[in-house]
Amino acid sequence: MAEVAGVTVDTGHWIGGERVGSAAAFTDLSPIDEQPLAEVARGGPVEVDAAVAAASRAFPAWARTSREDRARALHAIADGVDEHVEELARVETADNGALIRSHRRGVMPRVAHNFRFFADWLLRLGHDDFETRGHRNHVDWDPAGVCALITPWNAPLMLATWKVAPALAAGNTVVLKPAEWSPLTASLLAGIAAEAGLPDGVLNVVQGTGAEAGAALVAHPDVRRISFTGSVPTARSISAAAAPNLTPLSLELGGKSPLLVFADADLDLAVDLAVEQYDNAGQVCLAATRLLVDASIAEEFTERFLDRAGRLVQGDPREEGTDIGPQIHRRHFERVDGFVRRALGDGARALLGGGPNTDLGGLYYRPTLVAEAPEGSEILTEEVFGPVLTLQTFETEEQAVAMANGTRFGLAATLATGDPERAARVTGRLAAGTVWVNCFFVRDLRAPFGGSRQSGVGREGGDWSFDFYCDVKNTVMAPWEK
Ligand code: NAD
């Protein structure tokens, strides 16, 4: 048990409808001041076995539960989330350092929406029967079984429920392993789901590190689906662990997405879009961290960008007026700083920031804009995952597209242009799972979400989620003799 931001959090695992401890624990630190928040149960193969067994036992009954009843259960969880928005927001902010104002008004309402959306989608999920020489083809979405869901720290409950909700809606049972740097709201979710009446064993949470709990879970032979959001190196380990069992995978990974600003763009909008990339202190997979700007407007764009970005308020994420909080963890902070130092050492220039915020200390890193980085250097090609943007210029549309596509990633791309024909031409040529034109982060759960190239494997959202979480079955029935 821990008291976090005035909320009591049970930091054990949640297995088969019970809180379960472990002999070992890990210390969860707050990014706000690097002080311990909680001692959290540190699971491994034993706890994973118990959770997968509980999920396997609960599966047949949950899979047979009618769609209406499953949808009702998910709506009840959503109601529970709505009732606890303030507590969830406070705990999440203490745990991962993201802004309380976005947790209160954006993230936690979206968490509830994840449950409502997939509950409602389930009720309309279907496919018209069709006929082959008098035979009827009927498509069923059968639940797959136990789903292993592994999530990162940057948007813990939002990303967990983006997986939990469709997995449960589809009739599966779940073992969730949250990130060890922000494990707490997953524990609260387990309590909310239990209060909402979700049967024991349908949702299980195993706490622990990736190397111990995560690795045991993805290698488990009774797991039928693995949905993972996190980094590319971890995705490789998970793919290797899943290979012997041929467990189907959905991988939502990192990015190095571009924001293309053409000379015909509304410059105020373009600047707003660029500054938005510092949201969540840059710890956003979709962030368009590479600003690719037409050389003819680069000077004016940069001037306006520096003016706008210079007014961002960095500080305690618990304050409503804060725009940029801390980095998640000392190790991550050092990694971000390493990228910037090496870039500056290689001859790049910091037009903004360029290092830790020494006024605030701790894990606060200044919003940074790096220019003149050598072509092909890591700051231009690797995911930094901090408040660090790069600026490059292009002369032609052709060059802009080549630069946009010039990394091993393909998660998202954003365009600012005033020309619809250009928008159509360029979007058609971008390698990205999501492309935004004159907007950013507009997300609809009906839409497919995922990455191309090394940004991911598969798509989730709407039907795509049910395709992944189900064993889709086609039954062909001969005509019955009269
Ligand atoms: P990470 O890969 O280090 O960890 C993610 C999760 O995997 C954690 O729960 C961790 O404990 C677990 N894990 C680690 N090793 C494991 C193993 N061997 N087997 C099983 N599980 C293991 O990623 P992170 O640092 O937590 O998150 C940041 C990364 O996530 C960034 O690359 C970011 O772009 C990406 N991300 C992607 C999306 C998306 O939707 N595409 C969304 C958010 C974050």
Side-chain angles (χ1 to χ4, degrees):
M1 285 288 186
E3 278 295 304
V4 178
V7 180
T8 305
V9 186
D10 192 317
T11 55
H13 314 288
W14 178 254
I15 298 176
E18 284 176 19
R19 293 287 175 192
V20 178
S22 277
F26 65 92
T27 304
D28 178 32
L29 302 173
S30 176
I32 298 172
D33 54 10
E34 297 183 84
Q35 292 305 303
L37 275 182
E39 292 295 307
V40 181
R42 180 171 169 171
V46 172
E47 291 81 356
V48 164
D49 270 348
V52 173
S56 301
R57 280 195 302 277
F59 175 69
W62 182 246
R64 278 196 311 271
T65 302
S66 71
R67 286 186 177 195
E68 288 73 14
D69 285 346
R70 292 206 301 265
R72 244 191 301 279
L74 264 66
H75 275 286
I77 298 174
D79 292 343
V81 170
D82 280 341
E83 277 164 33
H84 294 282
V85 162
E86 179 59 20
E87 292 107 283
L88 290 166
R90 286 210 307 269
V91 171
E92 197 85 295
T93 291
D95 205 10
N96 89 332
L99 301 184
I100 189 83
R101 71 163 190 242
S102 48
H103 283 154
R104 279 184 179 136
R105 285 189 285 284
V107 175
M108 295 311 162
R110 159 71 193 275
V111 165
H113 180 59
N114 282 342
F115 285 102
R116 293 194 203 290
F117 171 83
F118 285 107
D120 294 345
W121 198 264
L122 169 70
L123 296 180
R124 57 156 296 266
L125 183 70
H127 197 296
D128 289 343
D129 287 0
F130 52 98
E131 229 185 74
T132 314
R133 297 192 306 276
H135 296 57
R136 188 173 63 104
N137 288 255
H138 176 76
V139 176
D140 281 307
W141 270 260
D142 291 346
V146 177
C147 298
L149 310 180
I150 305 211
T151 48
W153 45 261
N154 65 319
L157 196 59
M158 208 286 285
L159 291 170
T161 53
W162 154 252
K163 298 178 188 304
V164 168
L168 295 184
N172 301 299
T173 54
V174 159
V175 180
L176 168 66
K177 207 299 281 172
E180 55 270 43
W181 284 351
S182 57
L184 299 180
T185 48
S187 282
L188 294 178
L189 176 69
I192 289 171
E195 265 173 40
L198 195 70
D200 293 349
V202 172
L203 169 66
N204 304 274
V205 177
V206 175
Q207 298 285 5
T209 64
E212 294 168 352
L217 181 58
V218 295
H220 203 292
D222 296 338
V223 163
R224 299 283 179 251
R225 291 289 187 278
I226 299 169
S227 178
F228 168 73
T229 300
S231 65
V232 172
T234 306
R236 291 202 181 100
S237 306
I238 290 177
S239 302
N245 303 315
L246 293 177
T247 315
L249 290 162
S250 169
L251 303 174
E252 300 186 341
L253 311 177
K256 189 72 180 173
S257 301
L259 166 58
L260 294 139
V261 182
F262 290 97
D264 51 31
D266 170 339
L267 218 51
D268 283 333
L269 171 72
V271 167
D272 283 347
L273 293 174
V275 173
E276 208 179 327
Q277 308 309 320
Y278 291 127
D279 276 6
N280 210 13
Q283 302 164 123
V284 175
C285 58
L286 292 161
T289 53
R290 292 186 293 140
L291 310 183
L292 309 180
V293 183
D294 187 305
S296 67
I297 54 158
E299 202 177 314
E300 192 182 350
F301 170 86
T302 309
E303 213 169 280
R304 291 206 213 174
F305 173 86
L306 293 177
D307 176 55
R308 279 277 286 101
R311 283 185 269 138
L312 292 171
V313 178
Q314 187 160 36
D316 190 324
R318 293 169 296 194
E319 304 292 334
E320 278 273 336
T322 297
D323 298 315
I324 300 190
Q327 299 296 286
I328 180 78
H329 191 278
R330 176 63 52 186
R331 269 213 319 272
H332 184 64
F333 178 90
E334 299 293 353
R335 184 175 174 278
V336 168
D337 192 40
F339 272 111
V340 174
R341 277 169 195 272
R342 289 190 295 277
L344 300 183
D346 279 352
R349 271 195 319 133
L351 303 184
L352 179 72
N357 186 329
T358 45
D359 298 338
L360 296 172
L363 300 179
Y364 293 89
Y365 204 86
R366 286 194 193 282
T368 292
L369 179 66
V370 171
E372 296 165 31
E375 202 179 319
S377 61
E378 60 166 17
I379 195 94
L380 299 177
T381 56
E382 292 301 314
E383 183 182 47
V384 176
F385 219 54
V388 179
L389 308 183
T390 57
L391 177 68
Q392 294 166 272
T393 58
F394 61 80
E395 305 284 342
T396 64
E397 188 180 293
E398 190 66 26
Q399 199 189 358
V401 170
M403 288 165 84
N405 288 339
T407 75
R408 66 193 166 103
F409 296 105
L411 191 56
T414 302
L415 260 76
T417 176
D419 178 353
E421 284 172 19
R422 188 200 296 280
R425 264 194 321 270
V426 172
T427 54
R429 298 179 62 196
L430 292 173
T434 301
V435 180
W436 283 292
V437 180
N438 295 327
C439 61
F440 179 67
F441 224 89
V442 179
R443 291 263 294 111
D444 187 313
L445 302 193
R446 291 170 294 190
F449 178 80
S452 311
R453 300 173 164 180
Q454 292 199 6
S455 287
V457 174
R459 296 289 182 272
E460 294 188 38
D463 279 346
W464 289 271
S465 290
F466 286 95
D467 280 350
F468 174 69
Y469 288 111
C470 293
D471 284 326
V472 179
K473 180 170 69 194
N474 186 38
T475 302
V476 185
M477 194 130 18
W480 295 99
E481 299 297 334
K482 287 262 161 48

